[in-house]
Amino acid sequence: MDPMIADHQKLNFQHTPTMVLPPETLSQIFQESIKPSVDRATSSDVNDGMFNKLRILQVCSRWRQVALSSPSFWVHFSSSFHNLKTMESLAHILGLHLRHSGSLPLHIVIVRTGVHTPLNYGTDGVLIHESIDAELVPALGRVKALRLDHLSFMGFVGLFQHASHLTGLESLCIEGLSQPVRLAGCPSLHNLTIVNSSHAEISVNAHIIHTLNLESVPVDLCVRLLFECPNLESYSMTEPMNPITHDIHSVCPGHRVMVVLSKMKEFTWTLSGSDWDNLIWGHLDLPAITDMIWHTDPAGFDPTQEGGGLATDRRLLKGFCERLGSLKHLELDLADLFRWFPERLTIESCFMAFDSWDKVFDFCRDIEPYHQEDGGLQKPFPKLARFDITIADGEDDTPGAVYIADILESLGNRVRAGLPTSVMFIGLHDIGNIDMGCINAAIREMLDNGSLVIKDWNNRFIFDDHFWV
């Protein structure tokens, strides 16, 4: 290449926007392009952050220099391994992160793929692998967030043996456990996620746990941990496993004893229609709750069924709902459950799954304002301004114009009572053109002035070429 052309290209490159940015700004851009992850994700997602770092390091010498001199660029280490060979190669990369991150807190994700392939390695006290432990164990005091998936039996044993060294650990996610979990020695552990654990023994410093996420964990253990952690702010239990013990009295806090979790803001529970639900309804008080999600067990929970093996005590369930005075946001994957919530609650938004359009119409009728015997106007759920609706798979997702008109008329009665309403029909990509002749002038005016907002999954609702966006 002609030397003059080369010099000209070099000069142009030096004046590109990314080359004239201050190092601090460039470093911040780098960090935004890296996806830190201590939550659950696929192995490819886990490796994305590492691949993005390698791409940045290979762009040019200036980018590489800025990255190497930015400790915050190296605080997130996330990678997966499949066998001993890949583990050994990770040790060098992990060491690079530990050296260049200075003394900053660390976020580490290590996921084992190919979990059906046996790994015959490790001795008592080994955390992951000797080569990785040589880098990681001396830095355990700096680890702030840790996710470990599908380690060997010895790997988890090593983790629990090193628990006292995890003095800065605040968030831990572990998956694939088959042995006791002993984490009481972690003095700062506030957020704990356990996935796919069949063991009954989990010991933590219960008073400092603020967030607890349990997935595919025995239901009796889920209940016990809920009752034992008095300072919980967020709790989630999904896809529960069968209980290890069927002795409910061993978990029950005592006859007529109420467990008050005064800091709980978010609560997710999977209903099974069993006595384990009754423990929650009868003994749990959430005076500060704002967000609640109820799932139903796919085995066939039906809250409308009388008997038939359904053990839910409706009196206890009603009493539990009566105590939810601070609830603002509600999500139900079975809309029939909504009838247990008293209409005086100040719920502001809700998401509900219906199994028919008839039930959507019934719901809209149930929340209409009505006149009391003294002539006063009663407004059910006076703060409810938005709800998202979805229809179960297999149900006709294109209701007729008259059906829609009837639903809008019920919602319009809320607007007339001074309750602006917004509805999104989730999963309905194209309602189609609705004949405006089926919709009276008052409802059309509400749609025009925005006091009644109706949208489909594409964030729009179509009424004879009229779009409300």
Side-chain angles (χ1 to χ4, degrees):
M1 179 182 293
D2 188 298
M4 293 185 62
I5 296 177
D7 289 342
H8 181 69
Q9 290 181 342
K10 182 178 179 180
L11 183 63
N12 286 339
F13 179 71
Q14 290 174 345
H15 286 84
T16 58
T18 56
M19 294 302 293
V20 299
L21 286 174
E24 298 80 6
T25 304
L26 192 58
S27 176
Q28 186 62 39
I29 294 174
F30 290 167
Q31 293 173 51
E32 292 296 326
S33 69
I34 299 170
K35 183 175 65 175
S37 174
V38 294
D39 59 351
R40 298 186 62 217
T42 65
S43 58
S44 59
D45 293 331
V46 167
N47 291 324
D48 282 347
M50 192 70 66
F51 292 148
N52 288 340
K53 287 181 183 178
L54 293 176
R55 294 186 185 101
I56 289 172
L57 292 171
Q58 294 172 352
V59 169
C60 64
S61 60
R62 181 172 186 263
W63 281 31
R64 186 161 51 252
Q65 180 183 7
V66 170
L68 291 173
S69 60
S70 301
S72 55
F73 182 82
W74 301 94
V75 297
H76 292 93
F77 174 84
S78 60
S79 188
S80 64
F81 70 90
H82 180 74
N83 51 36
L84 291 178
K85 183 177 180 180
T86 54
M87 269 196 292
E88 292 169 352
S89 65
L90 286 181
H92 172 72
I93 301 175
L94 175 61
L96 188 67
H97 281 72
L98 297 178
R99 287 189 295 275
H100 288 284
S101 59
S103 59
L104 294 179
L106 301 169
H107 300 249
I108 295 179
V109 178
I110 299 177
V111 176
R112 175 189 169 194
T113 60
V115 295
H116 299 296
T117 302
L119 290 179
N120 298 317
Y121 73 92
T123 58
D124 190 25
V126 172
L127 178 56
I128 300 174
H129 183 262
E130 288 85 349
S131 59
I132 295 179
D133 286 8
E135 301 284 355
L136 180 58
V137 171
L140 284 178
R142 291 171 50 202
V143 177
K144 182 178 181 180
L146 179 64
R147 171 187 163 190
L148 301 174
D149 287 7
H150 299 293
L151 297 189
S152 69
F153 173 85
M154 292 307 301
F156 282 123
V157 169
L159 170 66
F160 305 141
Q161 289 183 354
H162 288 292
S164 60
H165 299 287
L166 293 165
T167 56
L169 183 65
E170 297 180 4
S171 179
L172 175 64
C173 175
I174 46 181
E175 179 173 354
L177 283 167
S178 59
Q179 62 273 357
V181 179
R182 299 186 176 96
L183 297 168
C186 299
S188 303
L189 183 60
H190 301 312
N191 307 318
L192 177 61
T193 297
I194 299 177
V195 181
N196 191 20
S197 172
S198 59
H199 206 280
E201 184 181 347
I202 296 181
S203 59
V204 295
N205 191 342
H207 286 270
I208 65 172
I209 296 294
H210 296 163
T211 301
L212 186 59
N213 300 305
L214 304 171
E215 179 180 335
S216 299
V217 174
V219 63
D220 52 331
L221 179 57
C222 296
V223 174
R224 180 175 66 79
L225 288 173
L226 174 63
F227 286 164
E228 288 181 353
C229 299
N231 295 309
L232 278 174
E233 299 173 4
S234 177
Y235 174 89
S236 175
M237 185 275 280
T238 57
E239 301 181 17
M241 299 172 65
N242 290 330
I244 295 175
T245 175
H246 293 277
D247 182 10
I248 290 181
H249 297 290
S250 66
V251 181
C252 180
H255 183 59
R256 295 187 178 179
V257 174
M258 192 66 66
V259 177
V260 180
L261 300 181
S262 59
K263 299 180 180 179
M264 179 82 77
K265 299 291 186 181
E266 302 172 346
F267 181 70
T268 298
W269 182 260
T270 300
L271 293 87
S272 60
S274 70
D275 284 335
W276 296 104
D277 293 338
N278 292 335
L279 273 184
I280 301 300
W281 313 146
H283 295 278
L284 186 62
D285 187 5
L286 307 175
I289 192 70
T290 59
D291 296 76
M292 180 172 290
I293 300 174
W294 281 5
H295 299 294
T296 50
D297 193 307
F301 173 76
D302 182 0
T304 65
Q305 180 183 354
E306 299 291 345
L310 185 64
T312 293
D313 187 318
R314 288 161 175 77
R315 177 183 57 84
L316 294 178
L317 175 56
K318 181 179 180 181
F320 176 78
C321 293
E322 290 281 355
R323 299 192 294 270
L324 302 175
S326 298
L327 186 62
K328 302 299 181 186
H329 310 287
L330 176 65
E331 181 175 330
L332 305 172
D333 67 4
L334 186 60
D336 290 321
L337 292 167
F338 190 79
R339 67 190 179 98
W340 296 106
F341 293 82
E343 61 183 32
R344 62 172 176 79
L345 294 183
T346 56
I347 299 173
E348 297 175 0
S349 66
C350 62
F351 166 88
M352 289 181 291
F354 293 85
D355 55 17
S356 72
W357 281 103
D358 285 332
K359 290 186 177 180
V360 176
F361 177 70
D362 291 341
F363 165 75
C364 293
R365 289 290 300 271
D366 289 341
I367 63 173
E368 282 189 51
Y370 59 90
H371 288 281
Q372 298 175 302
E373 292 183 359
D374 60 3
L377 185 64
Q378 179 67 22
K379 301 177 182 179
F381 305 99
K383 298 293 185 180
L384 183 56
R386 166 169 180 166
F387 44 93
D388 298 342
I389 291 175
T390 186
I391 302 295
D393 292 340
E395 180 70 14
D396 184 8
D397 63 356
T398 55
V402 175
Y403 222 134
I404 289 294
D406 288 342
I407 291 175
L408 293 182
E409 184 63 33
S410 290
L411 298 176
N413 288 332
R414 287 185 63 85
V415 176
R416 293 185 183 98
L419 304 174
T421 301
S422 174
V423 182
M424 175 176 284
F425 290 95
I426 296 176
L428 306 186
H429 296 276
D430 184 12
I431 295 294
N433 293 328
I434 302 298
D435 183 4
M436 291 292 287
C438 294
I439 303 172
N440 66 47
I443 298 298
R444 292 200 299 269
E445 183 179 351
M446 295 176 191
L447 293 166
D448 281 328
N449 64 32
S451 57
L452 178 59
V453 178
I454 309 293
K455 297 181 180 180
D456 66 7
W457 194 230
N458 290 322
N459 211 34
R460 67 183 187 180
F461 208 163
I462 308 172
F463 291 97
D464 197 19
D465 298 328
H466 287 71
F467 289 76
W468 285 266
V469 180

